[in-house]
Amino acid sequence: MRRCPGRTRSEGAAWAPEARLADVLTTVCAPSRAAEVLEPWPAATARESVARAVRDGRATELLGALGPRERTRMLELARPADTPPPRLGPQEVVAPAVLLSVFGLPSSSRPPAGGASTTPRVRVFISYAHEDDGGAHTERVRTFWTLLRSLGVDARLDQSAAEQPQDWALWMHNEYRAADYVLVVASPAYKRRAEGTEMEGIGNGVAWEARFIRDEVYSDGHGWHRRILKVVLPGGSPGHLPAYLGGPAVSHYAIDSIDAEGVERLLRYLTRQPYEVAEPLGPVPHLPPRGA
C-alpha cells in the first residue's frame, strides 16, 4: 500500500481499539489479503489504515469487505477470555456492527464513496484440473470464473495468478484458507489426481489442493459439505468427482449453461438469498374434544 499520513502512537489510548482491530484482522488474513481489504485507506501500517477508516466513518465498510468466514474468525479471536465462544449456525453471518461492538468501536453511518454497495463479498476458490482436450475444459472453467466475478462473487482462479511468478504451494494454501467456499469442478483428470490414481508427476497441483479438501472432509464430517461445493459444468458428470466427496448422497450443483440463469441456484447459496423461504409458524388452533 502507498504511504500516506495517518495517526501515530502518540495519540494514545483513543487508538487502542483500532490497533486491536488491525492486529486481529492481520492475524486472520494473509498479508496479501489484508493489503487488499485495507487498500481504500492507504497508510504506512495496517493500524494506521484501520484508524483512517474509523476516523472517516467507514469502519462498517472496512469489515464488510471481509468474507463471512473471516469475520467469524475475527469474532472468535476478539471475544473476551471469560466469555463463551459464539454459537453460529452454518448460514449465520457476523455483521460488521456486531464485530465493531466487540472492539468497542461505534458502527459507521457514512455511506461508502461513490455509492458502492456495502454487501460483503463472498470469496470462493475454484479447484479444477487441466484436461487433455485441447483446452476446452479449462476454457469452460475460465468462463465460469469470469461469470461469477461479474455477478459480485470474489472468485479466485490460478489463471490470473499465473500472470506473475508464484510459490504455487503457498498460493494454493492461502487461497484455500481464505475462501468462504471451495468449488470443486468435476472432470476425469480431477477425479484421478484427487484420488491418487494419476500417473506419477502429473497434476501435482490438484493433488496438493485435494489434501486440504480431504483433511477438511475428515475433520468436519458433519459440516464440510456446506463449504466444499461440488460443481458439474456443461459436458461434465457427477461421476467425475472424487469418491470421498460423498457421491450421490451429497448435493452437487449442475450448471447446465454458463450464464446467470445456469448458476442461479449456486449463486443463491453463495450470497445467502434462498428462493424458497419457510413461512413463519402460525398460532396453534384450539380444537375442542369430542362432545364439547
Side-chain angles (χ1 to χ4, degrees):
M1 291 184 295
R2 300 177 300 277
R3 286 185 173 268
C4 189
R7 296 189 182 185
T8 64
R9 291 180 181 274
S10 63
E11 294 184 63
W15 188 20
E18 299 153 18
R20 184 164 168 258
L21 173 59
D23 289 346
V24 173
L25 188 151
T26 52
T27 297
V28 168
C29 298
S32 59
R33 172 62 172 156
E36 176 185 15
V37 171
L38 296 172
E39 182 62 26
W41 302 277
T45 68
R47 291 186 175 190
E48 291 170 357
S49 293
V50 170
R52 293 186 67 186
V54 173
R55 182 183 62 207
D56 292 347
R58 294 169 61 187
T60 298
E61 181 185 349
L62 165 65
L63 294 180
L66 295 166
R69 198 161 175 256
E70 291 168 326
R71 277 181 278 135
T72 299
R73 180 57 179 153
M74 285 186 67
L75 180 61
E76 292 171 350
L77 294 178
R79 66 183 177 85
D82 57 348
T83 61
R87 292 181 175 272
L88 297 171
Q91 291 298 305
E92 292 184 82
V93 181
V94 178
V98 172
L99 198 51
L100 286 170
S101 68
V102 172
F103 287 95
L105 291 167
S107 298
S108 305
S109 57
R110 176 178 170 176
S117 171
T118 59
T119 302
R121 299 293 190 181
V122 176
R123 180 166 174 165
V124 305
F125 175 54
I126 301 175
S127 181
Y128 76 106
H130 293 269
E131 291 286 334
D132 186 16
D133 60 358
H137 177 68
T138 299
E139 186 59 28
R140 282 192 293 271
V141 173
R142 184 184 182 281
T143 302
F144 176 58
W145 165 59
T146 58
L147 174 64
L148 290 179
R149 293 191 65 85
S150 74
L151 295 172
V153 176
D154 185 6
R156 303 300 179 98
L157 192 69
D158 62 350
Q159 294 183 36
S160 60
E163 292 299 311
Q164 55 185 316
Q166 297 286 350
D167 177 337
W168 284 109
L170 182 60
W171 181 87
M172 288 183 279
H173 175 265
N174 288 341
E175 290 295 333
Y176 186 89
R177 183 181 63 178
D180 299 305
Y181 300 99
V182 177
L183 308 184
V184 176
V185 181
S187 74
Y190 193 97
K191 180 177 175 67
R192 293 195 306 271
R193 295 164 190 176
E195 293 180 349
T197 60
E198 184 63 277
M199 294 178 59
E200 186 176 354
I202 297 178
N204 291 337
V206 171
W208 186 258
E209 293 168 9
R211 290 187 182 93
F212 304 143
I213 295 171
R214 288 198 305 269
D215 284 349
E216 185 163 345
V217 171
Y218 182 80
S219 61
D220 186 13
H222 294 291
W224 66 266
H225 59 282
R226 298 188 183 97
R227 177 174 182 251
I228 300 170
L229 308 179
K230 304 188 294 182
V231 172
V232 180
L233 296 180
S237 166
H240 293 152
L241 289 159
Y244 57 77
L245 293 183
V250 177
S251 301
H252 73 273
Y253 290 89
I255 310 298
D256 296 326
S257 58
I258 307 179
D259 53 27
E261 182 178 356
V263 302
E264 180 179 340
R265 179 167 162 257
L266 173 62
L267 185 64
R268 283 183 176 277
Y269 180 75
L270 294 177
T271 60
R272 295 176 172 83
Q273 301 179 82
Y275 179 74
E276 290 288 353
V277 180
E279 293 292 326
L281 293 176
V284 177
H286 173 69
L287 303 174
R290 178 178 178 178

